[in-house]
Amino acid sequence: MSSARYRPIVETDPLRPDDALPLAGGRLWFREVAVHERGLPPRRIRAHDLSEAARSRLSAPRAPICGLALDRPLIMGIVNVTPDSFSDGGRFAARDAAVARAEALVAAGADILDIGGESTRPGSDPVPEDEELARVIPVIEAVKGLGVAISVDTRKAAVARAALDAGACIFNDVSALGHDPASLAVAADAPAICLMHAQGDPKTMQLAPHYDDVLLDVTDYLAERVAAAEAAGIARERILVDPGIGFGKTIEHNLALIRALAILHDLGCPILFGASRKRFIGSLGQAPDPMTRLPGSLAVALEALRQGAQVIRVHDVAETRQAVALWSALVMPEPGG
Ligand code: 7PM
C-alpha cells in the first residue's frame, strides 16, 4: 500500500509570499502541493495543510554531497570509457581519450565527473567485470587530482569498491543497488550514492515499458530503494534519487516524469537528473544524431532546474554551464544583487 505523494508546485518568482516554503531549503519556493494518490486524479492543497513531517521533507535543506553545497545547481559531466573504433590499442586509447575528455569537462566547469565503463544504452550487452575495471579504474586514478568530485556509473559492487578506493565519492548505480547483491555493503562505505529508477535491464528495457501510474510507480520504487539503503546503514543525507529518464520508459513516460519531476522531493533527497542527448529528445526534436540534441538537452535540463533538481548529468558541460548561469541570474539573483 503506498501512501500519497506530495509534489510541490514550484515557483520561481522573486516576489515570494510570506507564507511560502523554501523548496529543499533553496531559493525556489512553493505554497501548494499536488497530492498524487493511486486511482485518484491529482488535487491541489495548501502546503500548510500538510503534516509537519511532509512539510519538513519538502522544505528542509539537503546535506552537501561530497562536500558540494546544494544551494546552486551542480553539473555532472559524463565520461564514457568505452573503446571506440580505435585499433587493438582500444583500451589505452580509450583511457587517454577519457582522461582528455575529463580534463576538458573540468575546464568547462563540471562540478562532478561521472565515469562509466559499461554503456547501459537500450540493447547494449553487459561488460565483464574485469573489462569494466580495466576501463574505469585507470581513468579515476588519472583524474582524481583534477579537484572535482568523481562519480562511478556502475552496477557492479567490485567496480564501485575499486572506484571508491581509487578516489570516487559517488556510487552511481542505474540499478539502485539491485543488480549486484554485494552492492548494498559497498554503498554503505560510499560518501554518497545515487539510486536511479530503471524498469528491466538495458537489453530489454525499451521493448514494452508499462506502468500503472508512472509517477507513483517510479516514486514508490525509489522510496523502497531508499528504505533498503537506510536499512543497510546508509544515511538518507548521502542518497541522491534519479527518475532514470530513458531507462524503461516510452516518450510519454519520460515527459510525464519530467513534467512532475518535483514529486521526487517528497523522498527528502537531492534529485539527480540525466536526460542529455537521450533518444526521446531525438524523437521529439527531429534529431536522429545524438550529437545534434544539445538544444533539446538544455531545454529539459532547465525544466529540471525549475523544479528544483540539484544535479544535472550532461555531456555538454560548457554549454550547460552557460545556460545555468543565465537561468541562475534570473531565478537565483545574488543577495543584494
Ligand atoms: C539510455 C540512454 C539509457 C542513455 C542510458 C543512457 C543515467 C545514468 C546513464 C541517468 C544516472 C547515457 C545513459 N544515464 N546515471 N547513466 N542517471 N544517475 O547517458 O539518467 O548514455 S547511461
Side-chain angles (χ1 to χ4, degrees):
M1 168 61 186
S2 75
S3 55
R5 297 285 174 197
Y6 302 116
R7 171 170 61 88
I9 308 289
V10 186
E11 305 283 354
T12 62
D13 194 288
L15 194 53
R16 178 165 152 171
D18 295 340
D19 63 344
L21 293 172
L23 178 66
R27 300 283 185 80
L28 305 180
W29 52 273
F30 64 104
R31 279 199 294 183
E32 291 184 295
V33 303
V35 182
H36 290 262
E37 274 179 293
R38 289 189 184 281
L40 293 173
R43 66 188 190 281
R44 281 180 179 234
I45 65 170
R46 285 166 17 94
H48 283 279
D49 295 336
L50 290 171
S51 67
E52 176 49 36
R55 265 208 313 277
S56 167
R57 220 171 36 243
L58 295 171
S59 60
R62 297 339 186 197
I65 292 285
C66 300
L68 293 166
L70 295 176
D71 57 356
R72 65 174 177 84
L74 297 179
I75 296 177
M76 174 187 268
I78 298 167
V79 180
N80 285 322
V81 194
T82 44
D84 292 327
S85 56
F86 294 97
S87 63
D88 63 351
R91 183 175 292 161
F92 298 108
R95 182 200 61 199
D96 294 348
V99 172
R101 174 143 179 84
E103 289 165 343
L105 295 184
V106 172
D111 298 296
I112 306 167
L113 295 175
D114 190 33
I115 298 172
E118 176 190 42
S119 167
T120 48
R121 290 187 181 291
S124 54
D125 291 318
V127 169
E129 180 175 294
D130 54 351
E131 171 63 24
E132 191 174 336
L133 282 165
R135 292 180 184 180
V136 168
I137 303 310
V139 174
I140 293 178
E141 294 283 0
V143 305
K144 67 183 177 184
L146 293 179
V148 293
I150 293 170
S151 166
V152 60
D153 184 344
T154 186
R155 301 182 293 168
K156 299 184 182 70
V159 174
R161 174 79 274 162
L164 293 167
D165 292 346
C169 76
I170 301 175
F171 177 3
N172 174 27
D173 185 345
V174 299
S175 78
L177 307 176
H179 176 76
D180 188 329
S183 287
L184 269 172
V186 172
D189 292 343
I193 65 172
C194 180
L195 301 177
M196 193 196 83
H197 174 274
Q199 185 181 82
D201 65 36
K203 197 81 184 141
T204 60
M205 63 189 179
Q206 288 306 114
L207 295 180
H210 171 76
Y211 297 85
D212 295 333
D213 175 320
V214 66
L215 293 184
L216 289 172
D217 292 356
V218 168
T219 307
D220 289 348
Y221 170 87
L222 288 172
E224 188 274 320
R225 299 312 296 155
V226 169
E230 286 184 308
I234 300 164
R236 192 175 284 243
E237 289 70 32
R238 294 195 276 134
I239 300 173
L240 294 135
V241 291
D242 183 326
I245 298 300
F247 283 84
K249 281 96 176 175
T250 62
I251 291 175
E252 267 316 307
H253 293 142
N254 287 322
L255 291 176
L257 285 166
I258 298 170
R259 268 189 218 108
L261 184 67
I263 195 170
L264 295 185
H265 291 298
D266 193 36
L267 299 171
C269 300
I271 298 169
L272 194 159
F273 179 78
S276 179
R277 297 186 186 172
K278 287 188 175 176
R279 197 183 300 254
F280 79 103
I281 294 172
S283 304
L284 292 170
Q286 287 83 40
D289 174 2
M291 299 303 287
T292 65
R293 295 174 184 168
L294 175 57
S297 301
L298 293 175
V300 294
L302 293 182
E303 176 54 22
L305 294 187
R306 191 195 61 75
Q307 292 192 56
Q310 287 94 345
V311 185
I312 40 180
R313 180 180 179 276
V314 303
H315 299 85
D316 305 287
V317 168
E319 297 84 350
T320 304
R321 169 67 59 201
Q322 185 183 112
V324 168
L326 273 293
W327 180 84
S328 300
L330 289 165
V331 171
M332 300 181 175
E334 287 310 313

